[in-house]
Amino acid sequence: MVGLVLSMYFFSLARARARGEGVAVAVAVARRGASTTTRRHKSTEKRKKRRRQDPNKENLRDGEAPRGRGAPRRGLSLSPPLSPLPSRSLGVFRCGKERPDPLYRYSPHQPPPPEPRRPNTACWSLPIKMLGSLISYSPSVNPKTENPDELIATGVLASLQNFIRKCIVAVLSYGPMPKHIAFIMDGNRRYAKFRSIQEGSGHRVGFSALIASLLYCYEMGVKYITVYAFSIDNFKRDPTEVKSLMELMEEKINELLENRNVINKVNCKINFWGNLDMLSEPVRVAAEKLMASTAENTGLVFSVCMPYNSTSEIVNAVNKVCAERRDILQREDADSVANNGVHSDISVADLDRHMYSAGCPDPDIVIRTSGETRLSNFLLWQTTFSHLQNPDPLWPEFSFKHLVWAILQYQRVHPYIEQSRNLAKKQL
């Protein structure tokens, strides 16, 4: 303590000489500084003594904030810890950076900082939902919805979907549009397998995709639609699966007979191409009844190939031509037939007249879904100049955007297809 007073005295004396002041001023300054230092020293010693006596008691003067290592930061309160932690785990400074401490929370006297601002997605969420729902033909409307705001939003969304779809169709119509599109509906079983749903459910979803594609084509002005529904080779599958498919065909055909909304909307004429005698009796009767009920319609021509393959179609056409010639030869005498100019040769035109597709133009586009690049014995006679496309999605996943892309691809190669077709006609 004496050394501290002497050092203060000599320091004050040196400063007084530098300023030109007297020794008395230096002594007064030294005494004032020494008394202040002494009081601080005594106060510190008292606090240390009290802490040693009661370490759990907060020995602070009134209004004095805690200091030192482990003290809470200003404006924050320390929540009771779950377990004793070392002091360095609290909010302390190390190397000039503050470490975050999960035990600290904001006190009620100081409001917490504002949350980070999130982007407002309300302005573009509606267009995204609208474009994504173009996959289905119509939005799912629940008539039991009691909230009028939801009904209004659904109606607005449906109107926007229809408007966008019409705009896309109008843009496509500036290019060459196909008159006949053929679909190989592949991937129904894989769709059910990948989604671990009941076997046969994939074909039901595929039927919904078929109706949607039919309506899309009608909006685009496509006159003829042909689908490969069931091949003759499919009878080689498991009998249980074949039976379930036949039951599904009968169910859907009867639905079209009872609920004719789709048929009346597009004024659709439905044909079944194939050997109908191979079908079960209920399915065959239902198919014949549906063909008879739509025979007079003049709108979209929808042809369903079941059970069908192109080889049997060609053989059937050859047999019909031969039977026709045989009848002519039996009615007329051989000399008179020769004089009338009837020849025994079979021409391409003769076969065309006896094909299942007689009266329909050849397909402009053949689409096989699931990425497969095989025709699987489908319309081999009619697809010489057709544009073959193999989109990756499975048939139940086929949607409006895939159909639009197929038409754009066709428009891109249309000049080459027409050139090849005209050249073949000249050679004939």
Side-chain angles (χ1 to χ4, degrees):
M1 192 65 184
V2 177
L4 180 62
V5 173
L6 291 176
S7 61
M8 291 290 297
Y9 173 78
F10 286 112
F11 174 77
S12 302
L13 182 61
R15 188 174 60 178
R17 287 182 178 178
R19 295 180 178 180
E21 299 174 347
V23 178
V25 175
V27 172
V29 172
R31 287 179 178 175
R32 186 170 62 250
S35 61
T36 303
T37 304
T38 303
R39 287 196 301 271
R40 289 179 180 176
H41 179 71
K42 291 181 179 179
S43 176
T44 303
E45 289 295 333
K46 291 180 180 179
R47 285 199 299 271
K48 289 181 179 180
K49 185 177 180 181
R50 287 197 297 267
R51 287 196 184 100
R52 285 193 296 266
Q53 294 175 356
D54 190 4
N56 297 325
K57 186 177 181 180
E58 194 77 26
N59 296 291
L60 299 176
R61 290 179 295 181
D62 295 337
E64 181 181 1
R67 301 177 184 179
R69 191 180 182 88
R73 290 168 289 184
R74 182 174 298 178
L76 301 177
S77 62
L78 183 62
S79 60
L82 300 177
S83 60
L85 297 175
S87 60
R88 60 182 178 181
S89 65
L90 303 179
V92 298
F93 290 85
R94 179 172 295 181
C95 300
K97 296 183 179 180
E98 185 178 1
R99 297 176 57 190
D101 183 12
L103 296 179
Y104 281 109
R105 57 179 175 82
Y106 289 94
S107 64
H109 305 288
Q110 182 178 1
E115 296 182 357
R117 185 177 181 182
R118 299 179 180 179
N120 185 12
T121 60
C123 59
W124 49 265
S125 60
L126 183 62
I128 287 181
K129 291 181 180 178
M130 176 182 59
L131 293 175
S133 57
L134 285 176
I135 297 176
S136 59
Y137 179 73
S138 61
S140 57
V141 180
N142 185 8
K144 297 182 180 180
T145 303
E146 299 179 356
N147 190 353
D149 295 337
E150 294 182 4
L151 292 175
I152 294 174
T154 304
V156 172
L157 184 62
S159 301
L160 290 175
Q161 291 174 10
N162 295 332
F163 175 73
I164 290 178
R165 190 167 58 248
K166 290 180 180 179
C167 291
I168 294 174
V169 172
V171 172
L172 286 176
S173 62
Y174 280 95
M177 296 294 292
K179 297 179 181 178
H180 187 180
I181 299 179
F183 295 97
I184 302 178
M185 303 182 294
D186 191 16
N188 293 316
R189 293 191 299 172
R190 277 172 283 177
Y191 179 86
K193 182 179 179 181
F194 292 161
R195 283 158 180 77
S196 299
I197 59 179
Q198 185 179 2
E199 187 176 356
S201 300
H203 293 87
R204 295 184 179 274
V205 182
F207 179 79
S208 301
L210 172 61
I211 298 300
S213 299
L214 193 69
L215 295 172
Y216 293 147
C217 292
Y218 172 76
E219 289 184 353
M220 295 179 180
V222 181
K223 177 68 175 178
Y224 300 91
I225 302 295
T226 303
V227 296
Y228 198 7
F230 192 84
S231 172
I232 294 178
D233 297 331
N234 292 146
F235 283 108
K236 301 177 182 179
R237 294 181 178 178
D238 185 13
T240 305
E241 181 182 355
V242 174
K243 182 181 178 181
S244 64
L245 290 176
M246 291 297 164
E247 293 175 353
L248 178 63
M249 292 177 189
E250 181 184 1
E251 176 187 343
K252 296 305 179 182
I253 293 174
N254 290 329
E255 283 184 7
L256 292 176
L257 285 170
E258 296 174 0
N259 187 6
R260 302 175 62 89
N261 292 335
V262 176
I263 296 177
N264 295 334
K265 180 180 179 64
V266 300
N267 194 21
C268 181
K269 178 182 179 180
I270 300 179
N271 298 321
F272 285 91
W273 294 353
N275 189 359
L276 298 182
D277 295 333
M278 300 179 68
L279 296 174
S280 60
E281 185 68 16
V283 179
R284 183 182 61 80
V285 172
E288 292 176 350
K289 188 183 297 185
L290 184 59
M291 283 193 294
S293 63
T294 60
E296 302 298 327
N297 294 344
T298 58
L300 180 68
V301 178
F302 179 45
S303 303
V304 183
C305 298
M306 55 170 283
Y308 171 90
N309 63 30
S310 187
T311 303
S312 65
E313 181 185 18
I314 296 173
V315 171
N316 180 69
V318 172
N319 290 333
K320 286 185 176 180
V321 172
C322 292
E324 183 183 57
R325 296 299 173 87
R326 192 182 305 112
D327 293 340
I328 294 176
L329 292 175
Q330 290 177 355
R331 288 195 306 265
E332 302 282 344
D333 184 62
D335 296 336
S336 62
V337 170
N339 293 333
N340 290 335
V342 177
H343 303 285
S344 59
D345 296 337
I346 298 176
S347 65
V348 174
D350 293 333
L351 291 177
D352 283 336
R353 287 189 295 106
H354 293 90
M355 289 287 180
Y356 296 139
S357 59
C360 293
D362 293 344
D364 298 303
I365 305 175
V366 177
I367 299 175
R368 175 163 188 164
T369 54
S370 75
E372 296 290 339
T373 56
R374 298 175 287 109
L375 283 177
S376 297
N377 211 351
F378 175 63
L379 298 181
L380 300 181
W381 182 269
Q382 297 88 351
T383 55
T384 305
F385 300 103
S386 301
H387 186 223
L388 307 180
Q389 301 189 26
N390 310 96
D392 291 331
L394 305 176
W395 174 249
E397 300 170 341
F398 191 81
S399 61
F400 178 75
K401 61 182 180 181
H402 302 114
L403 184 60
V404 170
W405 180 250
I407 294 178
L408 289 174
Q409 293 287 85
Y410 167 76
Q411 292 178 348
R412 185 174 63 87
V413 300
H414 178 263
Y416 170 75
I417 294 176
E418 286 297 313
Q419 182 182 359
S420 301
R421 188 173 295 170
N422 294 333
L423 183 61
K425 290 180 179 179
K426 290 180 181 180
Q427 292 176 354
L428 294 176

